[in-house]
Amino acid sequence: MIQNPLISVVIPAYNAEQFLDETLESVLSQTYENWECIIVNDGSTDNTESIAKKWCEKDERFRYFYKENSGVSDTRNLGIKEARGEFIAFLDADDLYMPNFLEVCLENLVEKDVDLVAPKMLEFWNVQNGVIEDEDKKDYLYSGKEGIALFLHSNRLTMALLCKKSVMDEVGGFTWHKKAEDLHCWLKVLFAGYKIYRLGEYYAYRRIHQNSWSNSELNCTQEIVEIIHNFKQKIVQKNINFHYFFNLWVRRYILLKDRQGKILPNIKKRMEFINSIDSKYFPKILLKLPLGEKLTKLLAIQIIKFKKFSI
């Protein structure tokens, strides 16, 4: 690796005028100075373009691209394609780097001999007060069968991270065009044999607001069920218990809760979605019966509990 390599920061932006100035300021404030920042406008209808171009005039390290609206996966992929750096760093248009983000991530990637480094992110609402943090300050290395299994249980990363561009090129970038596209990508990285390192310390801020992706009511659970099913062959080839993880996410999906902690209605509809993936999962006769929510829930739980090898 060359000394002081170029890092390409990729920021997908859709109607990001409210937060984009603050986000780009956090990039400009990095202690590591050999970077370029690629802002990709995903067909915004607000002032995202004018704000981005203002920053390009302010510092030539900022680069701006526009594309018709097609979602965050295509938007990040365009940024990866246009990147000139040996390394790619990602940042969402409403989040913030701490000043030493790039420096710390690059140091750890080189020293630990890994392919992707992601620190933890402090969550905050709109302004940096009342930040939410947990007590787990350990670093974790994810690789091989064990790493894949941990990511099948839950996504261990946020989108503020640094990785080798060659890794993104080999796995094809983001190829899942629904929610949870990031988890899909990290699983591809792990299945390809690469190593992911998560830092236990905080080096970025994750903004939670009304329209933020992480504030989604359904929390991407439906899409994760699909993702795990799509990776079935690779999971089985790694001698990982596919049925355990599929059933785990089916249960989470059937028992989805709202923000008040109440199980969402229309359980039968969610059961029908599972059957659209595996037609034998829930007995069709059960879905035809005029049962109430409570009884449907109890029957669904029992079926999931004793489900074995229908898929």
Side-chain angles (χ1 to χ4, degrees):
M1 186 185 76
I2 63 173
Q3 189 174 7
N4 196 36
L6 177 65
I7 297 175
S8 299
V9 179
V10 174
I11 299 180
Y14 175 71
N15 289 348
E17 65 176 5
Q18 185 178 358
F19 308 117
L20 190 56
D21 272 323
E22 192 175 4
T23 298
L24 299 182
E25 180 65 44
S26 77
V27 177
L28 185 65
S29 301
Q30 289 300 293
T31 56
Y32 187 89
E33 296 182 347
N34 191 23
W35 53 261
E36 63 172 358
C37 182
I38 301 170
I39 309 156
V40 184
N41 183 356
D42 185 29
S44 298
T45 57
D46 64 357
N47 293 320
T48 293
E49 179 170 87
S50 61
I51 294 171
K53 287 184 175 180
K54 174 190 70 177
W55 282 86
C56 292
E57 294 173 359
K58 183 176 183 177
D59 191 310
E60 63 181 9
R61 290 176 294 179
F62 289 99
R63 302 169 61 204
Y64 173 75
F65 297 88
Y66 175 87
K67 57 180 282 296
E68 295 296 325
N69 180 260
S70 61
V72 69
S73 290
D74 286 342
T75 307
R76 290 198 186 107
N77 287 340
L78 178 56
I80 295 169
K81 178 182 177 182
E82 297 294 341
R84 298 181 293 209
E86 181 181 351
F87 298 94
I88 301 282
F90 293 106
L91 181 64
D92 286 345
D94 50 0
D95 294 336
L96 306 170
Y97 285 157
M98 292 182 185
N100 56 347
F101 176 90
L102 294 178
E103 181 179 357
V104 169
C105 287
L106 182 60
E107 286 178 356
N108 277 274
L109 188 144
V110 174
E111 291 177 4
K112 304 297 191 302
D113 189 24
V114 294
D115 305 291
L116 186 155
V117 170
K120 294 169 67 175
M121 298 181 75
L122 283 170
E123 295 185 345
F124 68 99
W125 287 84
N126 291 325
V127 292
Q128 288 170 239
N129 57 6
V131 295
I132 304 169
E133 61 177 295
D134 59 49
E135 297 178 354
D136 183 7
K137 297 295 181 68
K138 295 180 181 178
D139 293 354
Y140 289 93
L141 174 65
Y142 302 105
S143 64
K145 176 180 176 180
E146 293 76 14
I148 293 168
L150 288 169
F151 272 77
L152 290 173
H153 183 275
S154 60
N155 191 356
R156 308 291 163 135
L157 306 183
T158 54
M159 271 312 303
L161 55 88
L162 177 78
C163 67
K164 297 175 181 177
K165 185 177 186 296
S166 59
V167 172
M168 287 292 105
D169 290 339
E170 178 172 333
V171 303
F174 296 85
T175 53
W176 186 255
H177 297 279
K178 302 179 183 180
K179 294 178 182 177
E181 83 292 336
D182 53 341
L183 174 61
H184 184 269
C185 188
W186 314 148
L187 284 169
K188 289 196 302 177
V189 167
L190 289 167
F191 277 118
Y194 293 112
K195 293 181 285 186
I196 294 175
Y197 198 77
R198 197 205 73 173
L199 300 175
E201 295 294 336
Y202 297 93
Y203 293 100
Y205 293 100
R206 185 182 189 185
R207 191 190 307 267
I208 307 299
H209 55 88
Q210 191 63 33
N211 298 320
S212 63
W213 199 258
S214 55
N215 207 34
S216 168
E217 186 179 62
L218 296 183
N219 198 31
C220 306
T221 307
Q222 175 178 307
E223 288 76 9
I224 295 176
V225 171
E226 289 186 88
I227 287 171
I228 290 178
H229 185 264
N230 284 0
F231 276 115
K232 179 189 175 183
Q233 185 176 356
K234 289 181 177 292
I235 294 170
V236 172
Q237 288 174 347
K238 289 290 186 180
N239 200 28
I240 298 171
N241 189 338
F242 165 79
H243 301 281
Y244 169 80
F245 290 107
F246 187 78
N247 292 343
L248 172 70
W249 280 99
V250 168
R251 180 183 176 88
R252 289 173 177 174
Y253 179 56
I254 295 299
L255 301 182
L256 275 177
K257 296 180 180 179
D258 61 21
R259 293 169 189 168
Q260 285 72 46
K262 296 180 180 180
I263 294 177
L264 293 173
N266 301 318
I267 290 176
K268 187 172 291 187
K269 184 176 181 180
R270 297 199 288 280
M271 294 167 69
E272 290 172 347
F273 171 78
I274 298 301
N275 273 23
S276 72
I277 297 175
D278 170 28
S279 61
K280 298 179 181 179
Y281 198 94
F282 291 109
K284 292 181 180 179
I285 186 64
L286 172 60
L287 300 179
K288 294 179 180 179
L289 294 175
L291 303 175
E293 286 286 314
K294 183 176 292 186
L295 183 55
T296 302
K297 180 189 74 173
L298 292 174
L299 288 172
I301 292 173
Q302 289 302 310
I303 291 170
I304 297 168
K305 182 178 180 181
F306 293 104
K307 201 71 183 174
K308 292 187 178 179
F309 305 110
S310 68
I311 300 175

